[in-house]
Amino acid sequence: MEVGARIHIPVSVAETAISRRFDTIPSGTLYPNADEIEYLQRLVKYKDSALLVLNKPPKVPVKGNMPIHNSMDALAAAALSYGYDEGPKLVHRLDRESSGLLLMGRTKESIAHLQLLFSYINKAQSKCQAWNDACEATYQRYWALVIGSPKDKEGLISARLSKVLLDDGKTERVVLAQHSSLEPSRDAVTEYRVLGPTINGCSWIELRPLTSRKHQLRVHCAEALGTPIVGDYKYGWFVHRRWKQMPRVDIEPSSGKPYKLRWPEGVDIQKGSVLAKVPLLHLHCRELVLPNIAKFLDVLDGKSENVHPALSSRPDLLRFVASMPSHMKISWNLMSSFLV
């Protein structure tokens, strides 16, 4: 280097203002304490030779641009190896503020096959028809509480997404792609279904992503449906402000009489629920169905033409359901008498 030389640093490198709570620790020197190990192991819902399934709590980062002390991937790699030489690796992502089922692969082979499957759900194919059928049956279902209600009670959202930088030159945002835009875009497809009537200006909906894109469900809800998810201030700030300021009186579906949410005794509604001053994000990966990859792995890797006899009695599909975090349970209970 010479005096006066200019160095251009990408925004992703320059923006390293990470709070002390997320101090960086080299993954090779990360040793979780006993409480962290016990906590992580309580989150594990299922474990076999090929994969792990966890119920991720909200406000826990899954993975950053660099290892951080309490990210799920760093802690899992250090605490959930269960006798393997290496810890499990992420197969797909959940946003930091969201919760629910998180899938991790335990071997290089299973990670590669599962990542291919989740890059575009139902598209991972092989010569094994049973595996192909299992891939076709793969799905994720999310539950979300949104502000307002979609115009149609169910439907398919097919809206391409692109990434843009805001005026500050640092903040990245995912938006619906414009036909005239020069920004690169990727296809994004989501099925949705409304679970009940509008109560307190909000509706519960079920979301089934058919592609796996960053912030796909949040942008599809906010921009394609016009109903941002409760607690999603990144994509629904103005709607939140208007929603909180509006006096609302809903109509009971059964009697047709005015109805307003009642504050239940003994429940702290301020813990991020729909009635809190600042609700937490109400987006939860509730259900996951995927192929039993431990059964098919030898066939997929070409080590065998048929499933091993010892594994033939195992199911082709695995199904998991995860309970909602506490703030969503409170909101659900407040509105549950009107849900289908």
Side-chain angles (χ1 to χ4, degrees), residues 68-142:
I68 56 178
H69 177 66
N70 60 349
S71 68
M72 292 295 293
D73 66 324
L75 286 174
L80 298 180
S81 59
Y82 291 107
Y84 280 36
D85 292 336
E86 296 184 2
K89 300 292 192 299
L90 291 169
V91 170
H92 67 110
R93 305 279 185 92
L94 292 178
D95 294 340
R96 178 182 180 275
E97 302 297 337
S98 63
S99 59
L101 293 166
L102 183 67
L103 180 62
M104 306 188 84
R106 300 192 67 195
T107 67
K108 292 180 180 179
E109 294 79 12
S110 65
I111 292 168
H113 289 295
L114 289 170
Q115 286 180 338
L116 176 62
L117 175 63
F118 277 86
S119 63
Y120 202 112
I121 293 176
N122 310 133
K123 294 301 182 183
Q125 302 290 300
S126 77
K127 296 179 180 179
C128 178
Q129 188 57 45
W131 168 261
N132 294 342
D133 293 341
C135 290
E136 288 291 333
T138 297
Y139 65 83
Q140 292 173 286
R141 283 202 177 112
Y142 289 73

Side-chain angles (χ1 to χ4, degrees), residues 143 145 195 204 274 282 286 324 326-337 339-340:
W143 279 4
L145 183 63
L195 297 176
W204 286 98
V274 66
H282 282 57
R286 180 179 181 272
M324 291 187 290
S326 59
H327 69 281
M328 289 185 67
K329 286 181 180 177
I330 295 172
S331 300
W332 178 271
N333 292 333
L334 288 169
M335 305 168 67
S336 60
S337 59
L339 297 172
V340 296

Side-chain angles (χ1 to χ4, degrees), residues 233 243-244 268-280:
Y233 307 105
W243 168 60
K244 280 295 183 180
D268 187 358
I269 61 169
Q270 291 303 329
K271 290 186 175 180
S273 78
V274 66
L275 292 183
K277 292 181 180 178
V278 184
L280 296 178

Side-chain angles (χ1 to χ4, degrees), residues 35-47 52-58 60-61 70-72 75-76 80 82 99-104 320-323:
D35 290 338
E36 288 174 323
I37 293 175
E38 182 183 357
Y39 174 70
L40 273 173
Q41 291 179 346
R42 286 202 306 268
L43 299 180
V44 176
K45 293 183 63 68
Y46 177 82
K47 169 176 65 72
L52 282 173
V53 179
L54 302 91
N55 186 5
K56 177 188 126 31
V60 176
N70 60 349
S71 68
M72 292 295 293
L75 286 174
L80 298 180
Y82 291 107
S99 59
L101 293 166
L102 183 67
L103 180 62
M104 306 188 84
F320 307 99
V321 176
S323 59

